[in-house]
Amino acid sequence: MGRDTIADIITSIRNADMDRKVTVRIASTNITENIVKILLREGFIENVRKHQESNKYFLVLTLRHRRNRKGTYRTILNLKRISRPGLRIYSNYQRIPRILGGMGIVILSTSRGIMTDREARLERIGGEILWVLPGMKEQKWIHEGLITESLPNGMFRVRLDNENMILGYVSGKIRRSFIRILPGDRVKIEVSRYDSTKGRIIYRIRNKDSNN
């Protein structure tokens, strides 16, 4: 399985930001350079320079920190990954979420390259939602539904109580508890605001639960 470049970027920057490091080094690729350009342009980092070492290129980012009135540091790069290799999240330009009333940004991968949500709306194109920043508590909805079909790779087809059909995948907690999910089971499923066609199965409803 290949490396998840975007996850590596987020982890490196977020950890360095939380540890109040001045700089952080990440691998230089086309995708990292495009993302870093957005971070620099939007004011989330102070500076970036390209560094070569043993025939490999790296980007050295100078991070930006804020001080509160007590003199302590407060991180501003509370990055949130949305689309993942195992669960891609796409949106058209009309449904791209607005973060903090437009103060935050969404970074998308589109047919015209990586861009912010504002640029995507201006260009009237959608794409894959890579990540959002700064820290927004992701809004989710929990529905109840019926498993109607078992699909490959741990996926299920779920009919919600409002009659909508969505795809569901089992949460890590259910996997660790070795709870079997079968057609005919009633479940609780968590649906993200970014994609209402997929959700995470978080609980299998027992018969006595449904009777109550």
Side-chain angles (χ1 to χ4, degrees):
M1 183 180 295
R3 292 179 63 87
D4 187 350
T5 304
I6 297 177
D8 291 343
I9 298 172
I10 291 178
T11 301
S12 298
I13 296 178
R14 184 167 52 201
N15 289 346
D17 192 47
M18 293 179 64
D19 292 340
R20 296 186 295 180
K21 293 183 178 179
V22 177
T23 62
V24 60
R25 190 178 74 168
I26 62 175
S28 176
T29 64
N30 289 335
I31 188 169
T32 57
E33 289 186 9
N34 289 330
I35 291 175
V36 167
K37 286 179 182 177
I38 292 176
L39 295 178
L40 182 63
R41 186 176 69 237
E42 297 291 333
F44 289 98
I45 59 176
E46 288 191 358
N47 189 32
V48 59
R49 60 183 175 87
K50 202 166 187 176
H51 173 71
Q52 183 179 6
E53 183 178 305
S54 301
N55 296 326
K56 293 183 179 180
Y57 287 93
F58 298 91
L59 297 176
V60 180
L61 315 182
T62 302
L63 302 182
R64 185 188 299 273
H65 298 278
R66 293 178 182 169
R67 283 183 181 271
N68 61 22
R69 293 181 179 179
K70 295 181 180 180
T72 57
Y73 282 95
R74 180 164 62 92
T75 61
I76 65 173
L77 281 174
N78 190 359
L79 308 174
K80 173 71 175 178
R81 179 74 187 274
I82 303 301
S83 188
R84 295 174 172 83
L87 187 64
R88 301 290 184 182
I89 304 297
Y90 298 90
S91 174
N92 60 35
Y93 76 92
Q94 295 173 321
R95 298 186 62 183
I96 299 173
R98 295 182 184 273
I99 309 304
L100 298 177
M103 295 178 62
I105 65 172
V106 179
I107 297 181
L108 302 97
S109 176
T110 73
S111 59
R112 300 180 189 174
I114 294 176
M115 61 179 65
T116 66
D117 55 322
R118 293 189 291 273
E119 294 169 329
R121 291 190 191 95
L122 186 63
E123 298 286 341
R124 301 173 70 87
I125 58 174
E128 182 181 0
I129 301 179
L130 300 179
W131 52 350
V132 299
L133 70 158
M136 176 201 65
K137 186 176 181 180
E138 185 180 359
Q139 183 179 0
K140 296 181 179 180
W141 295 273
I142 296 179
H143 300 271
E144 292 187 6
L146 180 71
I147 301 292
T148 61
E149 185 181 357
S150 178
L151 302 173
N153 301 320
M155 301 289 289
F156 297 90
R157 202 175 304 279
V158 184
R159 185 176 69 241
L160 303 181
D161 289 348
N162 60 11
E163 299 300 326
N164 288 341
M165 296 293 294
I166 68 173
L167 293 177
Y169 62 97
V170 177
S171 68
K173 183 177 180 179
I174 289 182
R175 291 181 185 275
R176 291 191 298 270
S177 300
F178 300 102
I179 298 175
R180 293 186 65 188
I181 303 294
L182 300 172
D185 287 343
R186 284 190 58 79
V187 296
K188 290 185 179 180
I189 185 166
E190 189 179 62
V191 181
S192 169
R193 64 177 293 187
Y194 300 105
D195 188 354
S196 59
T197 65
K198 299 175 184 177
R200 184 168 63 115
I201 300 171
I202 59 174
Y203 186 73
R204 185 187 67 185
I205 301 174
R206 297 168 294 181
N207 289 333
K208 64 178 183 179
D209 292 339
S210 57
N211 291 335
N212 292 336

